[in-house]
Amino acid sequence: MIFVSCQKTEVSLVSMEEDVTILASDDFEGRETGTEGEAKAAAYIEKRFADLQLQPKGTEGYIQKFSFKPSSNPHQSPELSETTGDSLAQGMNVIGYLDNNADVTVVIGAHYDHLGYGGSSSLHAEGEAIHNGADDNASGVAMMLNLARRLHEEAPNSNYLFIAFSGEEMGLLGSNYFVKNPTIDLDKVSYMINMDMVGRLNEEKAVSVSGVGTSPVFSQTLHAANHCELNIIEKESGVGPSDHTSFYLSNIPALHFFTGQHEDYHKPSDDAHLLNYEGMEKLSSYILAVIKDLDGRGKLAFRTTKNESEQAPRFKVGLGVMPDYLFSGEGMRIDGVTEGRPGHKAGLQKGDIVKKIGKTDVVDMMSYMQGLAEFEEGQKAKVVVERNGELIETEVQF
Ligand SMILES: [Zn+2]
């Protein structure tokens, strides 16, 4: 049995409400990546990490900077860049570490960036206005800070890495950069917890938990830890529109907590006074109970899941490869090849970029699936892939 109070904890240094109210105030101008508002928010989180006695685990103290190419075209996402230069902007993750000298580390993350004054992701029709992003995602950051405090004396068989990601709204830039440039040994990461929009627990107490299929132990734990009468809605898929996806695609089990959509989503009216702070205390206690239940079990086993989120054309055949959903270049980059399946037999490799299937030019995920939809079991198809800059043609037997 695990005992965690569903009520407010005694030692309340800074409440979640205070953190949300500060991060979602007009002072931070909507925390858009690459702006002064982002830098102000990062500085606030740095100070909170220091007060919570977390070790700095960025590359410059708590900060890990990344460069990206901003996009002027609303249909094209900004891209990470390896270099720095005039046409590039910078974002920053904020990273703190609670070291218990344990063999495994649990990553607990939430993005702190938001839409600034609007931009192409805004659902606000009437001109520019500060998008405060209280639920999206000051709520997740506040809950992460709350867990950082509560985990000081609890669950000592793991270390904890707390990451406030930036660049999420631009396409998971910060988390993508982190898994490619980790500041700890990723092989020792047992699992990841992501919180994105956790401030609007409704009367039914419905909490969506995605990524339940990414480790065989999750489902059982989510039930065992639920003594706060939450209504847990399990989703299998490790791929979704938030930062847990970056970890899942790096073969790390990942859970994403979310209290649901609302009419203020991506609008200037997503404000601090509309959040359910009692609900946040409940959910934070629940996540703490999940972490305690998983503590001492060593590194969790990883499992791949089906992707439930894509509305795809119907196809009867497959290559047996895992697409890289974060690849933003032209084509479909392969992130993994299943042994014995058609792609493997035809010599396809991780990192290959599929350019053509039969007569269909592959430019993105959708055209990739359209290409597959042209074929039936037993047929053969010419497939063109780019490997190390060279085009290679091969024949696949479905
Ligand atoms: Zn968000």
Side-chain angles (χ1 to χ4, degrees):
M1 282 291 279
I2 299 150
F3 296 98
V4 182
S5 165
C6 301
Q7 304 309 315
K8 209 174 165 117
T9 37
E10 294 294 325
V11 200
S12 187
L13 302 170
V14 180
S15 70
M16 289 192 277
E17 183 166 4
E18 286 170 280
D19 279 328
V20 169
T21 305
I22 289 168
L23 286 167
S25 67
D26 284 354
D27 264 7
F28 293 81
E29 296 178 276
R31 310 184 302 276
E32 184 180 351
T33 305
T35 68
E36 208 176 302
E38 181 216 26
K40 264 190 182 177
Y44 176 76
I45 297 164
E46 266 188 285
K47 187 180 174 302
R48 293 282 287 115
F49 276 178
D51 290 346
L52 289 162
Q53 294 167 6
L54 301 180
Q55 291 175 21
K57 270 290 175 193
T59 48
E60 299 163 47
Y62 291 104
I63 300 292
Q64 179 188 45
K65 287 187 184 157
F66 57 88
S67 300
F68 66 96
K69 204 166 143 218
S71 163
S72 44
N73 173 353
H75 299 290
Q76 204 172 27
S77 338
E79 277 178 54
L80 282 176
S81 170
E82 302 285 316
T83 55
T84 50
D86 284 351
S87 63
L88 297 172
Q90 282 204 317
M92 44 186 141
N93 296 326
V94 192
I95 310 173
Y97 188 51
L98 175 55
D99 188 0
N100 287 330
N101 285 314
D103 294 334
V104 295
T105 297
V106 176
V107 174
I108 301 177
H111 79 87
Y112 72 96
D113 65 299
H114 194 51
L115 304 177
Y117 284 83
S120 59
S121 307
S122 172
L123 299 174
H124 179 60
E126 304 97 53
E128 286 202 332
I130 298 176
H131 287 54
N132 297 109
D135 187 33
D136 189 8
N137 184 32
S139 68
V141 175
M143 201 171 283
M144 175 182 71
L145 293 167
N146 185 260
L147 286 168
R149 170 161 58 80
R150 297 173 79 178
L151 277 165
H152 258 290
E153 306 286 315
E154 311 263 8
N157 299 305
S158 315
N159 312 310
Y160 299 92
L161 190 74
F162 299 93
I163 313 181
F165 299 109
S166 191
E168 192 273 348
E169 302 282 10
M170 292 179 175
L172 316 185
L173 298 182
S175 55
N176 191 352
Y177 184 82
F178 178 82
V179 295
K180 288 176 177 153
N181 303 274
T183 58
I184 57 163
D185 184 357
L186 276 195
D187 285 338
K188 293 194 173 149
V189 173
S190 177
Y191 64 97
M192 190 266 180
I193 282 185
N194 183 39
M195 293 161 288
D196 190 357
M197 297 176 68
V198 288
R200 297 271 197 135
L201 190 70
N202 61 15
E203 277 184 27
E204 290 79 43
K205 296 185 190 162
V207 178
S208 152
V209 186
S210 299
V212 179
T214 62
S215 181
V217 303
F218 279 151
S219 191
Q220 156 74 29
T221 295
L222 289 169
H223 285 286
N226 186 11
H227 59 277
C228 297
E229 293 166 335
L230 295 171
N231 176 9
I232 303 299
I233 299 150
E234 294 187 12
K235 303 204 165 138
E236 290 284 304
S237 177
V239 171
S242 191
D243 295 303
H244 57 292
T245 305
S246 301
F247 288 80
Y248 168 71
L249 294 176
S250 303
N251 296 346
I252 294 169
L255 290 175
H256 167 45
F257 293 83
F258 169 52
T259 52
Q261 284 289 352
H262 47 79
E263 59 187 17
D264 302 303
Y265 172 73
H266 280 198
K267 288 181 186 165
S269 53
D270 178 6
D271 280 326
H273 69 275
L274 296 171
L275 266 53
N276 174 358
Y277 294 102
E278 232 173 90
M280 285 179 71
E281 295 285 346
K282 276 202 172 66
L283 183 52
S284 178
S285 296
Y286 173 61
I287 295 174
L288 180 62
V290 169
I291 293 168
K292 288 179 74 166
D293 187 73
L294 294 172
D295 191 45
R297 297 204 201 180
K299 192 177 153 172
L300 300 190
F302 172 75
R303 221 168 46 176
T304 54
T305 62
K306 271 191 256 159
N307 179 13
E308 294 156 345
S309 61
E310 295 274 335
Q311 280 295 330
R314 288 178 165 273
F315 51 88
K316 301 180 196 124
V317 297
L319 294 175
V321 301
M322 191 166 81
D324 180 352
Y325 288 98
L326 298 180
F327 178 63
S328 49
E330 196 159 292
M332 192 289 285
R333 188 162 71 190
I334 297 174
D335 211 25
V337 181
T338 309
E339 250 177 79
R341 300 288 312 279
H344 180 249
K345 287 181 181 159
L348 298 185
Q349 299 175 5
K350 181 180 163 124
D352 286 352
I353 302 165
V354 178
K355 294 288 194 181
K356 199 164 186 168
I357 299 176
K359 292 192 172 99
T360 311
D361 287 319
V362 176
V363 293
D364 54 18
M365 276 306 294
M366 200 48 83
S367 49
Y368 166 67
M369 290 184 278
Q370 278 157 356
L372 286 176
E374 301 289 323
F375 292 93
E376 308 236 0
E377 196 92 38
Q379 290 183 326
K380 287 178 182 173
K382 291 238 183 297
V383 173
V384 178
V385 299
E386 187 184 297
R387 184 181 301 160
N388 303 323
E390 270 179 61
L391 292 178
I392 297 168
E393 191 181 280
T394 175
E395 193 172 66
V396 172
Q397 162 87 57
F398 293 114

